[in-house]
Amino acid sequence: MAASTGKAACERARLENVTVHTIRHSSAVAMVSNGVTLEKVAQYLAHSNVAITCQTYARFAPDHLQDAAEILDFTQVRQVR
């Protein structure tokens, strides 16, 4: 979508202080926050590399690092005296 087309669409929808980029970003955050994989979001956004998507949106994925955190069992750590 050309920038001018996107701007016109936002104006027709009477969206103030909103750009197509804002809508695109909000959509990606909503997808990731609701469990859509980062790989699928990258594909949806047509990112050339999944790393771009991860850098931008991984923090919105509630379970993104959960499996890594579960490996660490800090209740078993003993105090050093």
Side-chain angles (χ1 to χ4, degrees):
M1 178 182 295
S4 60
T5 305
K7 183 178 179 180
C10 288
E11 288 173 359
R12 281 193 308 276
R14 297 181 184 176
L15 299 173
E16 295 180 16
N17 301 316
V18 174
T19 65
V20 171
H21 178 77
T22 306
I23 295 168
R24 175 182 165 90
H25 180 71
S26 297
S27 299
V29 169
M31 285 187 265
V32 171
S33 297
N34 285 285
V36 176
T37 65
L38 291 164
E39 291 78 11
K40 286 184 180 181
V41 174
Q43 211 171 12
Y44 184 84
L45 297 175
H47 284 166
S48 59
N49 188 327
V50 177
I52 295 167
T53 313
C54 289
Q55 290 171 350
T56 307
Y57 299 106
R59 66 179 182 256
F60 299 106
D63 299 326
H64 174 63
L65 297 175
Q66 186 64 37
D67 58 341
E70 288 174 355
I71 290 173
L72 304 173
D73 183 3
F74 289 109
T75 61
Q76 299 299 317
V77 176
R78 297 187 333 203
Q79 287 184 332
V80 178
R81 295 184 183 175

